[in-house]
Amino acid sequence: MPLVSIVVPCYNEEPVLPMFLEECGSVVADMHSSQGLDFELVFVDDGSKDGTLAVLRQAVPVGDYCAIRWVSFSRNFGKEAALYAGLSAARGDYVVLMDADMQDPPALLPEMFERMQRTGCDCVATRRATRQGEPPVRSFLSRSFYSLINSISNVEFVSGERDFRLMRRQVVDAILSLGERNRFTKGLYGWVGFTTEWIAYDNVERGAGKTKWNLFGLFRYALDGIAGFSTLPLQISSVGSLLLFFIFVVAVVLIAIRRLVFGDPVAGWASTACIILFVGSLQLFCLGILGQYLAKTYLETKERPLFIVKEASDEG
Ligand code: UDP
Ligand code: MG
């Protein structure tokens, strides 16, 4: 029987976990009998300070077709790290990423599966149909972020996309093969490619507990995304430096001509100005070159694979 891993990152989710286990349990039971699937729930306790781990220890599987496994971090490493740990631990032929707070409704799972079987796609991803119920400032900033990052990065980001997605084993292996430390999973999905189907659903309120994100946290997250998937800021500063270098060189030439034509009414001005411009332009020139190499080195240090093969004629 095909195995489905459901990966659930949890940070201080004690109040909502019993609800999640119950709801997920019933969806899993249905899918086991109707679609013949086996399951494992892989929880990642991201250094919770409440009773999350105790709840996980005591969690009882709904049946022999659904194992419960968990990993617990030594401290809070953040959701991206939790997702990575969960993906590494998952053994399924299919893997689902799902939040513990019921904002990714487990009830949507059968539809996601059905869509994957029907279309033969590699991923079924979800996004919010509307931003209703979200503070206007947050919506505005979030929209601006998506349009900015889409214009400066060659990976596609979908506005309102959630981490809630179903992937085939091949996609999970591709994501795990990206060795970078600064992980921005929403960009990695786009980077590895594969065919993706989208399902939109209305925003769901948290089952219990409260969100771990504040505006500042989201801002830092956005910067991570930009730094991880675009070297444009570095390019701007390095091209800007080279541009200034040329302007300064022209200025030096103009000052020299002026000196020769009109003489030197303010003694020493021309030579002083030339020295300042010359040294300044030399520094900018070097900075520009440094920026180019730094951008390349940055991309190299990520050790992303050069390509990802989806199919080949001679697969053994
Ligand atoms: N989460 C985590 N580590 C963190 C923050 C969040 O594992 O440092 C988990 C959290 O337990 C939840 C999911 O990530 O399952 C989404 O978090 P949250 O609901 O707070 O975010 P929101 O839905 O408000 O964007
Ligand atoms: Mg949430």
PDB file of all heavy atoms in Angstrom, residues 8-13 15-17 19-21 23 43 79 98-106 162 164 201 203-213:
ATOM      1  N   VAL A   8       3.989  17.698  10.309  1.00  0.00           N
ATOM      2  CA  VAL A   8       3.333  18.783  11.035  1.00  0.00           C
ATOM      3  C   VAL A   8       4.310  19.509  11.957  1.00  0.00           C
ATOM      4  O   VAL A   8       4.719  18.970  12.986  1.00  0.00           O
ATOM      5  CB  VAL A   8       2.175  18.218  11.905  1.00  0.00           C
ATOM      6  CG1 VAL A   8       1.315  19.345  12.451  1.00  0.00           C
ATOM      7  CG2 VAL A   8       1.337  17.226  11.130  1.00  0.00           C
ATOM      8  N   PRO A   9       4.736  20.739  11.619  1.00  0.00           N
ATOM      9  CA  PRO A   9       5.594  21.497  12.524  1.00  0.00           C
ATOM     10  C   PRO A   9       4.752  22.058  13.667  1.00  0.00           C
ATOM     11  O   PRO A   9       3.658  22.553  13.428  1.00  0.00           O
ATOM     12  CB  PRO A   9       6.119  22.634  11.641  1.00  0.00           C
ATOM     13  CG  PRO A   9       5.089  22.827  10.590  1.00  0.00           C
ATOM     14  CD  PRO A   9       4.425  21.496  10.384  1.00  0.00           C
ATOM     15  N   CYS A  10       5.260  21.935  14.908  1.00  0.00           N
ATOM     16  CA  CYS A  10       4.469  22.415  16.052  1.00  0.00           C
ATOM     17  C   CYS A  10       5.322  23.272  16.972  1.00  0.00           C
ATOM     18  O   CYS A  10       6.348  22.803  17.466  1.00  0.00           O
ATOM     19  CB  CYS A  10       3.969  21.257  16.907  1.00  0.00           C
ATOM     20  SG  CYS A  10       3.144  19.983  16.011  1.00  0.00           S
ATOM     21  N   TYR A  11       4.896  24.468  17.203  1.00  0.00           N
ATOM     22  CA  TYR A  11       5.566  25.308  18.194  1.00  0.00           C
ATOM     23  C   TYR A  11       4.491  25.824  19.137  1.00  0.00           C
ATOM     24  O   TYR A  11       3.635  26.604  18.737  1.00  0.00           O
ATOM     25  CB  TYR A  11       6.306  26.444  17.503  1.00  0.00           C
ATOM     26  CG  TYR A  11       6.993  27.395  18.459  1.00  0.00           C
ATOM     27  CD1 TYR A  11       7.831  26.897  19.449  1.00  0.00           C
ATOM     28  CD2 TYR A  11       6.807  28.757  18.360  1.00  0.00           C
ATOM     29  CE1 TYR A  11       8.465  27.752  20.324  1.00  0.00           C
ATOM     30  CE2 TYR A  11       7.438  29.623  19.238  1.00  0.00           C
ATOM     31  CZ  TYR A  11       8.263  29.113  20.217  1.00  0.00           C
ATOM     32  OH  TYR A  11       8.887  29.967  21.089  1.00  0.00           O
ATOM     33  N   ASN A  12       4.531  25.373  20.377  1.00  0.00           N
ATOM     34  CA  ASN A  12       3.534  25.749  21.381  1.00  0.00           C
ATOM     35  C   ASN A  12       2.107  25.520  20.884  1.00  0.00           C
ATOM     36  O   ASN A  12       1.287  26.428  20.873  1.00  0.00           O
ATOM     37  CB  ASN A  12       3.701  27.219  21.784  1.00  0.00           C
ATOM     38  CG  ASN A  12       5.023  27.456  22.498  1.00  0.00           C
ATOM     39  OD1 ASN A  12       5.666  26.497  22.947  1.00  0.00           O
ATOM     40  ND2 ASN A  12       5.441  28.697  22.596  1.00  0.00           N
ATOM     41  N   GLU A  13       1.824  24.317  20.463  1.00  0.00           N
ATOM     42  CA  GLU A  13       0.499  24.013  19.921  1.00  0.00           C
ATOM     43  C   GLU A  13      -0.315  23.101  20.842  1.00  0.00           C
ATOM     44  O   GLU A  13      -1.235  22.439  20.395  1.00  0.00           O
ATOM     45  CB  GLU A  13       0.615  23.387  18.527  1.00  0.00           C
ATOM     46  CG  GLU A  13       1.304  24.243  17.479  1.00  0.00           C
ATOM     47  CD  GLU A  13       0.499  25.471  17.058  1.00  0.00           C
ATOM     48  OE1 GLU A  13      -0.542  25.764  17.690  1.00  0.00           O
ATOM     49  OE2 GLU A  13       0.926  26.143  16.099  1.00  0.00           O
ATOM     50  N   PRO A  15      -2.737  23.593  22.965  1.00  0.00           N
ATOM     51  CA  PRO A  15      -4.196  23.726  23.003  1.00  0.00           C
ATOM     52  C   PRO A  15      -4.895  23.142  21.777  1.00  0.00           C
ATOM     53  O   PRO A  15      -6.039  22.703  21.878  1.00  0.00           O
ATOM     54  CB  PRO A  15      -4.436  25.241  23.045  1.00  0.00           C
ATOM     55  CG  PRO A  15      -3.118  25.894  23.174  1.00  0.00           C
ATOM     56  CD  PRO A  15      -2.056  24.889  22.944  1.00  0.00           C
ATOM     57  N   VAL A  16      -4.218  23.145  20.628  1.00  0.00           N
ATOM     58  CA  VAL A  16      -4.930  22.769  19.410  1.00  0.00           C
ATOM     59  C   VAL A  16      -4.635  21.325  18.977  1.00  0.00           C
ATOM     60  O   VAL A  16      -5.390  20.727  18.201  1.00  0.00           O
ATOM     61  CB  VAL A  16      -4.601  23.787  18.286  1.00  0.00           C
ATOM     62  CG1 VAL A  16      -3.264  23.514  17.672  1.00  0.00           C
ATOM     63  CG2 VAL A  16      -5.675  23.823  17.231  1.00  0.00           C
ATOM     64  N   LEU A  17      -3.572  20.726  19.534  1.00  0.00           N
ATOM     65  CA  LEU A  17      -3.160  19.404  19.064  1.00  0.00           C
ATOM     66  C   LEU A  17      -4.211  18.299  19.214  1.00  0.00           C
ATOM     67  O   LEU A  17      -4.414  17.522  18.284  1.00  0.00           O
ATOM     68  CB  LEU A  17      -1.849  18.979  19.738  1.00  0.00           C
ATOM     69  CG  LEU A  17      -0.575  19.355  18.963  1.00  0.00           C
ATOM     70  CD1 LEU A  17       0.659  18.842  19.697  1.00  0.00           C
ATOM     71  CD2 LEU A  17      -0.599  18.786  17.544  1.00  0.00           C
ATOM     72  N   MET A  19      -7.389  18.519  19.093  1.00  0.00           N
ATOM     73  CA  MET A  19      -8.359  18.755  18.034  1.00  0.00           C
ATOM     74  C   MET A  19      -7.792  18.275  16.695  1.00  0.00           C
ATOM     75  O   MET A  19      -8.466  17.639  15.902  1.00  0.00           O
ATOM     76  CB  MET A  19      -8.566  20.276  17.957  1.00  0.00           C
ATOM     77  CG  MET A  19      -9.983  20.738  17.846  1.00  0.00           C
ATOM     78  SD  MET A  19      -9.980  22.536  17.660  1.00  0.00           S
ATOM     79  CE  MET A  19      -9.517  23.116  19.266  1.00  0.00           C
ATOM     80  N   PHE A  20      -6.524  18.621  16.462  1.00  0.00           N
ATOM     81  CA  PHE A  20      -5.871  18.257  15.196  1.00  0.00           C
ATOM     82  C   PHE A  20      -5.807  16.742  15.050  1.00  0.00           C
ATOM     83  O   PHE A  20      -6.149  16.180  14.002  1.00  0.00           O
ATOM     84  CB  PHE A  20      -4.460  18.851  15.148  1.00  0.00           C
ATOM     85  CG  PHE A  20      -3.695  18.443  13.921  1.00  0.00           C
ATOM     86  CD1 PHE A  20      -3.853  19.134  12.732  1.00  0.00           C
ATOM     87  CD2 PHE A  20      -2.834  17.349  13.947  1.00  0.00           C
ATOM     88  CE1 PHE A  20      -3.168  18.745  11.588  1.00  0.00           C
ATOM     89  CE2 PHE A  20      -2.147  16.956  12.809  1.00  0.00           C
ATOM     90  CZ  PHE A  20      -2.318  17.656  11.631  1.00  0.00           C
ATOM     91  N   LEU A  21      -5.396  16.064  16.144  1.00  0.00           N
ATOM     92  CA  LEU A  21      -5.259  14.608  16.090  1.00  0.00           C
ATOM     93  C   LEU A  21      -6.591  13.947  15.771  1.00  0.00           C
ATOM     94  O   LEU A  21      -6.660  12.998  14.986  1.00  0.00           O
ATOM     95  CB  LEU A  21      -4.705  14.085  17.419  1.00  0.00           C
ATOM     96  CG  LEU A  21      -3.197  14.289  17.602  1.00  0.00           C
ATOM     97  CD1 LEU A  21      -2.796  14.116  19.056  1.00  0.00           C
ATOM     98  CD2 LEU A  21      -2.426  13.315  16.706  1.00  0.00           C
ATOM     99  N   GLU A  23      -9.333  15.333  14.257  1.00  0.00           N
ATOM    100  CA  GLU A  23      -9.797  15.629  12.892  1.00  0.00           C
ATOM    101  C   GLU A  23      -8.968  14.879  11.852  1.00  0.00           C
ATOM    102  O   GLU A  23      -9.493  14.251  10.933  1.00  0.00           O
ATOM    103  CB  GLU A  23      -9.708  17.146  12.654  1.00  0.00           C
ATOM    104  CG  GLU A  23      -9.792  17.541  11.215  1.00  0.00           C
ATOM    105  CD  GLU A  23     -11.082  18.248  10.862  1.00  0.00           C
ATOM    106  OE1 GLU A  23     -11.760  18.703  11.797  1.00  0.00           O
ATOM    107  OE2 GLU A  23     -11.382  18.341   9.662  1.00  0.00           O
ATOM    108  N   PHE A  43       5.359  14.482  13.482  1.00  0.00           N
ATOM    109  CA  PHE A  43       5.303  15.776  14.164  1.00  0.00           C
ATOM    110  C   PHE A  43       6.713  16.264  14.442  1.00  0.00           C
ATOM    111  O   PHE A  43       7.586  15.480  14.810  1.00  0.00           O
ATOM    112  CB  PHE A  43       4.563  15.646  15.491  1.00  0.00           C
ATOM    113  CG  PHE A  43       3.092  15.389  15.321  1.00  0.00           C
ATOM    114  CD1 PHE A  43       2.589  14.092  15.350  1.00  0.00           C
ATOM    115  CD2 PHE A  43       2.213  16.442  15.116  1.00  0.00           C
ATOM    116  CE1 PHE A  43       1.233  13.855  15.176  1.00  0.00           C
ATOM    117  CE2 PHE A  43       0.859  16.214  14.946  1.00  0.00           C
ATOM    118  CZ  PHE A  43       0.370  14.922  14.977  1.00  0.00           C
ATOM    119  N   LYS A  79      10.151  27.616  11.834  1.00  0.00           N
ATOM    120  CA  LYS A  79       9.320  26.725  11.035  1.00  0.00           C
ATOM    121  C   LYS A  79      10.072  26.105   9.854  1.00  0.00           C
ATOM    122  O   LYS A  79       9.866  24.943   9.527  1.00  0.00           O
ATOM    123  CB  LYS A  79       8.090  27.490  10.519  1.00  0.00           C
ATOM    124  CG  LYS A  79       7.125  26.584   9.773  1.00  0.00           C
ATOM    125  CD  LYS A  79       5.881  27.311   9.309  1.00  0.00           C
ATOM    126  CE  LYS A  79       5.005  26.329   8.525  1.00  0.00           C
ATOM    127  NZ  LYS A  79       3.835  26.963   7.934  1.00  0.00           N
ATOM    128  N   MET A  98       1.620  20.208   6.658  1.00  0.00           N
ATOM    129  CA  MET A  98       0.370  20.740   7.204  1.00  0.00           C
ATOM    130  C   MET A  98       0.615  21.425   8.542  1.00  0.00           C
ATOM    131  O   MET A  98       1.355  20.906   9.376  1.00  0.00           O
ATOM    132  CB  MET A  98      -0.590  19.556   7.401  1.00  0.00           C
ATOM    133  CG  MET A  98      -2.031  19.925   7.556  1.00  0.00           C
ATOM    134  SD  MET A  98      -2.974  18.496   8.031  1.00  0.00           S
ATOM    135  CE  MET A  98      -3.327  17.765   6.471  1.00  0.00           C
ATOM    136  N   ASP A  99       0.039  22.601   8.757  1.00  0.00           N
ATOM    137  CA  ASP A  99       0.157  23.269  10.057  1.00  0.00           C
ATOM    138  C   ASP A  99      -0.685  22.538  11.096  1.00  0.00           C
ATOM    139  O   ASP A  99      -1.668  21.881  10.751  1.00  0.00           O
ATOM    140  CB  ASP A  99      -0.329  24.726   9.966  1.00  0.00           C
ATOM    141  CG  ASP A  99       0.669  25.617   9.242  1.00  0.00           C
ATOM    142  OD1 ASP A  99       1.727  25.099   8.840  1.00  0.00           O
ATOM    143  OD2 ASP A  99       0.378  26.809   9.078  1.00  0.00           O
ATOM    144  N   ALA A 100      -0.302  22.716  12.364  1.00  0.00           N
ATOM    145  CA  ALA A 100      -1.015  22.012  13.425  1.00  0.00           C
ATOM    146  C   ALA A 100      -2.299  22.736  13.830  1.00  0.00           C
ATOM    147  O   ALA A 100      -3.135  22.182  14.524  1.00  0.00           O
ATOM    148  CB  ALA A 100      -0.111  21.879  14.642  1.00  0.00           C
ATOM    149  N   ASP A 101      -2.461  23.992  13.381  1.00  0.00           N
ATOM    150  CA  ASP A 101      -3.518  24.819  13.963  1.00  0.00           C
ATOM    151  C   ASP A 101      -4.851  24.751  13.225  1.00  0.00           C
ATOM    152  O   ASP A 101      -5.739  25.560  13.483  1.00  0.00           O
ATOM    153  CB  ASP A 101      -3.046  26.278  14.043  1.00  0.00           C
ATOM    154  CG  ASP A 101      -2.694  26.832  12.670  1.00  0.00           C
ATOM    155  OD1 ASP A 101      -2.910  26.117  11.678  1.00  0.00           O
ATOM    156  OD2 ASP A 101      -2.203  27.967  12.596  1.00  0.00           O
ATOM    157  N   MET A 102      -4.992  23.822  12.297  1.00  0.00           N
ATOM    158  CA  MET A 102      -6.222  23.600  11.517  1.00  0.00           C
ATOM    159  C   MET A 102      -6.473  24.711  10.495  1.00  0.00           C
ATOM    160  O   MET A 102      -7.536  24.759   9.895  1.00  0.00           O
ATOM    161  CB  MET A 102      -7.467  23.493  12.415  1.00  0.00           C
ATOM    162  CG  MET A 102      -7.245  22.717  13.672  1.00  0.00           C
ATOM    163  SD  MET A 102      -7.517  21.012  13.388  1.00  0.00           S
ATOM    164  CE  MET A 102      -9.257  20.939  13.665  1.00  0.00           C
ATOM    165  N   GLN A 103      -5.485  25.600  10.303  1.00  0.00           N
ATOM    166  CA  GLN A 103      -5.655  26.595   9.240  1.00  0.00           C
ATOM    167  C   GLN A 103      -5.405  25.945   7.883  1.00  0.00           C
ATOM    168  O   GLN A 103      -5.745  26.512   6.850  1.00  0.00           O
ATOM    169  CB  GLN A 103      -4.700  27.771   9.449  1.00  0.00           C
ATOM    170  CG  GLN A 103      -5.156  28.667  10.579  1.00  0.00           C
ATOM    171  CD  GLN A 103      -4.391  29.968  10.597  1.00  0.00           C
ATOM    172  OE1 GLN A 103      -3.187  29.995  10.823  1.00  0.00           O
ATOM    173  NE2 GLN A 103      -5.101  31.058  10.376  1.00  0.00           N
ATOM    174  N   ASP A 104      -4.766  24.778   7.901  1.00  0.00           N
ATOM    175  CA  ASP A 104      -4.653  23.955   6.705  1.00  0.00           C
ATOM    176  C   ASP A 104      -5.619  22.796   6.944  1.00  0.00           C
ATOM    177  O   ASP A 104      -5.264  21.802   7.557  1.00  0.00           O
ATOM    178  CB  ASP A 104      -3.235  23.387   6.560  1.00  0.00           C
ATOM    179  CG  ASP A 104      -2.189  24.471   6.407  1.00  0.00           C
ATOM    180  OD1 ASP A 104      -2.556  25.578   5.978  1.00  0.00           O
ATOM    181  OD2 ASP A 104      -1.029  24.191   6.717  1.00  0.00           O
ATOM    182  N   PRO A 105      -6.875  22.929   6.490  1.00  0.00           N
ATOM    183  CA  PRO A 105      -7.892  21.951   6.896  1.00  0.00           C
ATOM    184  C   PRO A 105      -7.567  20.529   6.428  1.00  0.00           C
ATOM    185  O   PRO A 105      -7.407  20.303   5.226  1.00  0.00           O
ATOM    186  CB  PRO A 105      -9.162  22.449   6.197  1.00  0.00           C
ATOM    187  CG  PRO A 105      -8.830  23.731   5.541  1.00  0.00           C
ATOM    188  CD  PRO A 105      -7.369  23.930   5.550  1.00  0.00           C
ATOM    189  N   PRO A 106      -7.431  19.571   7.373  1.00  0.00           N
ATOM    190  CA  PRO A 106      -7.168  18.189   6.977  1.00  0.00           C
ATOM    191  C   PRO A 106      -8.257  17.669   6.030  1.00  0.00           C
ATOM    192  O   PRO A 106      -7.994  16.821   5.185  1.00  0.00           O
ATOM    193  CB  PRO A 106      -7.196  17.422   8.303  1.00  0.00           C
ATOM    194  CG  PRO A 106      -6.878  18.442   9.337  1.00  0.00           C
ATOM    195  CD  PRO A 106      -7.443  19.726   8.841  1.00  0.00           C
ATOM    196  N   ARG A 162       0.296  28.832   0.565  1.00  0.00           N
ATOM    197  CA  ARG A 162       0.541  28.306   1.904  1.00  0.00           C
ATOM    198  C   ARG A 162       1.571  27.194   1.810  1.00  0.00           C
ATOM    199  O   ARG A 162       1.913  26.762   0.724  1.00  0.00           O
ATOM    200  CB  ARG A 162      -0.775  27.793   2.491  1.00  0.00           C
ATOM    201  CG  ARG A 162      -1.850  28.857   2.462  1.00  0.00           C
ATOM    202  CD  ARG A 162      -2.880  28.718   3.555  1.00  0.00           C
ATOM    203  NE  ARG A 162      -2.416  28.106   4.766  1.00  0.00           N
ATOM    204  CZ  ARG A 162      -2.190  28.772   5.897  1.00  0.00           C
ATOM    205  NH1 ARG A 162      -2.378  30.080   5.945  1.00  0.00           N
ATOM    206  NH2 ARG A 162      -1.812  28.134   6.963  1.00  0.00           N
ATOM    207  N   PHE A 164       0.924  24.383   2.925  1.00  0.00           N
ATOM    208  CA  PHE A 164       0.080  23.185   2.854  1.00  0.00           C
ATOM    209  C   PHE A 164       0.146  22.614   1.443  1.00  0.00           C
ATOM    210  O   PHE A 164      -0.437  23.184   0.526  1.00  0.00           O
ATOM    211  CB  PHE A 164      -1.356  23.619   3.191  1.00  0.00           C
ATOM    212  CG  PHE A 164      -2.342  22.490   3.313  1.00  0.00           C
ATOM    213  CD1 PHE A 164      -1.944  21.204   3.632  1.00  0.00           C
ATOM    214  CD2 PHE A 164      -3.693  22.748   3.121  1.00  0.00           C
ATOM    215  CE1 PHE A 164      -2.876  20.185   3.759  1.00  0.00           C
ATOM    216  CE2 PHE A 164      -4.634  21.739   3.254  1.00  0.00           C
ATOM    217  CZ  PHE A 164      -4.219  20.464   3.576  1.00  0.00           C
ATOM    218  N   TYR A 201      -8.609  28.026  -1.251  1.00  0.00           N
ATOM    219  CA  TYR A 201      -9.666  27.862  -0.243  1.00  0.00           C
ATOM    220  C   TYR A 201      -9.733  29.094   0.649  1.00  0.00           C
ATOM    221  O   TYR A 201      -8.772  29.863   0.739  1.00  0.00           O
ATOM    222  CB  TYR A 201      -9.471  26.581   0.570  1.00  0.00           C
ATOM    223  CG  TYR A 201      -8.254  26.557   1.461  1.00  0.00           C
ATOM    224  CD1 TYR A 201      -8.341  26.955   2.798  1.00  0.00           C
ATOM    225  CD2 TYR A 201      -7.027  26.136   0.977  1.00  0.00           C
ATOM    226  CE1 TYR A 201      -7.227  26.921   3.616  1.00  0.00           C
ATOM    227  CE2 TYR A 201      -5.913  26.104   1.787  1.00  0.00           C
ATOM    228  CZ  TYR A 201      -6.018  26.493   3.110  1.00  0.00           C
ATOM    229  OH  TYR A 201      -4.913  26.463   3.918  1.00  0.00           O
ATOM    230  N   ASN A 203      -9.843  31.524   3.831  1.00  0.00           N
ATOM    231  CA  ASN A 203      -9.064  31.605   5.058  1.00  0.00           C
ATOM    232  C   ASN A 203      -9.820  30.949   6.220  1.00  0.00           C
ATOM    233  O   ASN A 203     -11.002  31.165   6.387  1.00  0.00           O
ATOM    234  CB  ASN A 203      -8.823  33.082   5.369  1.00  0.00           C
ATOM    235  CG  ASN A 203      -7.535  33.273   6.125  1.00  0.00           C
ATOM    236  OD1 ASN A 203      -6.763  32.325   6.295  1.00  0.00           O
ATOM    237  ND2 ASN A 203      -7.302  34.486   6.574  1.00  0.00           N
ATOM    238  N   VAL A 204      -9.124  30.132   6.999  1.00  0.00           N
ATOM    239  CA  VAL A 204      -9.744  29.487   8.159  1.00  0.00           C
ATOM    240  C   VAL A 204      -9.087  30.059   9.410  1.00  0.00           C
ATOM    241  O   VAL A 204      -7.878  30.260   9.430  1.00  0.00           O
ATOM    242  CB  VAL A 204      -9.490  27.956   8.124  1.00  0.00           C
ATOM    243  CG1 VAL A 204     -10.229  27.259   9.231  1.00  0.00           C
ATOM    244  CG2 VAL A 204      -9.838  27.378   6.770  1.00  0.00           C
ATOM    245  N   GLU A 205      -9.902  30.322  10.447  1.00  0.00           N
ATOM    246  CA  GLU A 205      -9.319  30.822  11.696  1.00  0.00           C
ATOM    247  C   GLU A 205      -8.594  29.687  12.400  1.00  0.00           C
ATOM    248  O   GLU A 205      -8.929  28.518  12.223  1.00  0.00           O
ATOM    249  CB  GLU A 205     -10.429  31.363  12.615  1.00  0.00           C
ATOM    250  CG  GLU A 205     -11.061  32.653  12.125  1.00  0.00           C
ATOM    251  CD  GLU A 205     -10.078  33.824  12.120  1.00  0.00           C
ATOM    252  OE1 GLU A 205      -9.374  33.994  13.118  1.00  0.00           O
ATOM    253  OE2 GLU A 205     -10.005  34.543  11.099  1.00  0.00           O
ATOM    254  N   ARG A 206      -7.603  30.044  13.221  1.00  0.00           N
ATOM    255  CA  ARG A 206      -6.912  29.069  14.050  1.00  0.00           C
ATOM    256  C   ARG A 206      -7.884  28.296  14.930  1.00  0.00           C
ATOM    257  O   ARG A 206      -8.814  28.885  15.470  1.00  0.00           O
ATOM    258  CB  ARG A 206      -5.992  29.827  14.994  1.00  0.00           C
ATOM    259  CG  ARG A 206      -4.567  29.575  14.738  1.00  0.00           C
ATOM    260  CD  ARG A 206      -3.728  30.382  15.678  1.00  0.00           C
ATOM    261  NE  ARG A 206      -2.352  30.051  15.330  1.00  0.00           N
ATOM    262  CZ  ARG A 206      -1.721  28.994  15.821  1.00  0.00           C
ATOM    263  NH1 ARG A 206      -2.304  28.238  16.721  1.00  0.00           N
ATOM    264  NH2 ARG A 206      -0.510  28.707  15.426  1.00  0.00           N
ATOM    265  N   GLY A 207      -7.653  26.983  15.133  1.00  0.00           N
ATOM    266  CA  GLY A 207      -8.504  26.182  16.014  1.00  0.00           C
ATOM    267  C   GLY A 207      -8.406  26.664  17.447  1.00  0.00           C
ATOM    268  O   GLY A 207      -9.386  26.764  18.174  1.00  0.00           O
ATOM    269  N   ALA A 208      -7.199  26.960  17.904  1.00  0.00           N
ATOM    270  CA  ALA A 208      -6.949  27.472  19.261  1.00  0.00           C
ATOM    271  C   ALA A 208      -5.524  27.996  19.291  1.00  0.00           C
ATOM    272  O   ALA A 208      -4.785  27.814  18.331  1.00  0.00           O
ATOM    273  CB  ALA A 208      -7.120  26.348  20.292  1.00  0.00           C
ATOM    274  N   GLY A 209      -5.151  28.641  20.387  1.00  0.00           N
ATOM    275  CA  GLY A 209      -3.801  29.199  20.483  1.00  0.00           C
ATOM    276  C   GLY A 209      -3.688  30.445  19.621  1.00  0.00           C
ATOM    277  O   GLY A 209      -4.678  30.925  19.083  1.00  0.00           O
ATOM    278  N   LYS A 210      -2.462  30.985  19.511  1.00  0.00           N
ATOM    279  CA  LYS A 210      -2.344  32.180  18.672  1.00  0.00           C
ATOM    280  C   LYS A 210      -1.154  32.122  17.716  1.00  0.00           C
ATOM    281  O   LYS A 210      -0.261  31.298  17.865  1.00  0.00           O
ATOM    282  CB  LYS A 210      -2.301  33.443  19.540  1.00  0.00           C
ATOM    283  CG  LYS A 210      -1.227  33.469  20.608  1.00  0.00           C
ATOM    284  CD  LYS A 210      -1.383  34.794  21.359  1.00  0.00           C
ATOM    285  CE  LYS A 210      -0.184  35.118  22.208  1.00  0.00           C
ATOM    286  NZ  LYS A 210       0.079  34.261  23.324  1.00  0.00           N
ATOM    287  N   THR A 211      -1.184  33.013  16.719  1.00  0.00           N
ATOM    288  CA  THR A 211      -0.162  32.978  15.673  1.00  0.00           C
ATOM    289  C   THR A 211       1.219  33.293  16.242  1.00  0.00           C
ATOM    290  O   THR A 211       1.347  34.040  17.202  1.00  0.00           O
ATOM    291  CB  THR A 211      -0.495  33.954  14.531  1.00  0.00           C
ATOM    292  OG1 THR A 211       0.585  33.926  13.588  1.00  0.00           O
ATOM    293  CG2 THR A 211      -0.681  35.376  15.030  1.00  0.00           C
ATOM    294  N   LYS A 212       2.272  32.700  15.629  1.00  0.00           N
ATOM    295  CA  LYS A 212       3.632  32.906  16.114  1.00  0.00           C
ATOM    296  C   LYS A 212       4.301  34.052  15.356  1.00  0.00           C
ATOM    297  O   LYS A 212       5.462  34.351  15.572  1.00  0.00           O
ATOM    298  CB  LYS A 212       4.454  31.628  15.920  1.00  0.00           C
ATOM    299  CG  LYS A 212       3.785  30.348  16.389  1.00  0.00           C
ATOM    300  CD  LYS A 212       3.529  30.374  17.875  1.00  0.00           C
ATOM    301  CE  LYS A 212       2.782  29.175  18.403  1.00  0.00           C
ATOM    302  NZ  LYS A 212       1.538  28.816  17.781  1.00  0.00           N
ATOM    303  N   TRP A 213       3.564  34.669  14.425  1.00  0.00           N
ATOM    304  CA  TRP A 213       4.170  35.692  13.575  1.00  0.00           C
ATOM    305  C   TRP A 213       3.711  37.082  13.979  1.00  0.00           C
ATOM    306  O   TRP A 213       2.530  37.307  14.148  1.00  0.00           O
ATOM    307  CB  TRP A 213       3.761  35.474  12.117  1.00  0.00           C
ATOM    308  CG  TRP A 213       4.312  34.233  11.542  1.00  0.00           C
ATOM    309  CD1 TRP A 213       3.672  33.034  11.469  1.00  0.00           C
ATOM    310  CD2 TRP A 213       5.597  34.039  10.955  1.00  0.00           C
ATOM    311  NE1 TRP A 213       4.490  32.112  10.877  1.00  0.00           N
ATOM    312  CE2 TRP A 213       5.675  32.704  10.554  1.00  0.00           C
ATOM    313  CE3 TRP A 213       6.681  34.879  10.745  1.00  0.00           C
ATOM    314  CZ2 TRP A 213       6.805  32.177   9.951  1.00  0.00           C
ATOM    315  CZ3 TRP A 213       7.803  34.352  10.138  1.00  0.00           C
ATOM    316  CH2 TRP A 213       7.864  33.020   9.748  1.00  0.00           C
TER     317      TRP A 213
END
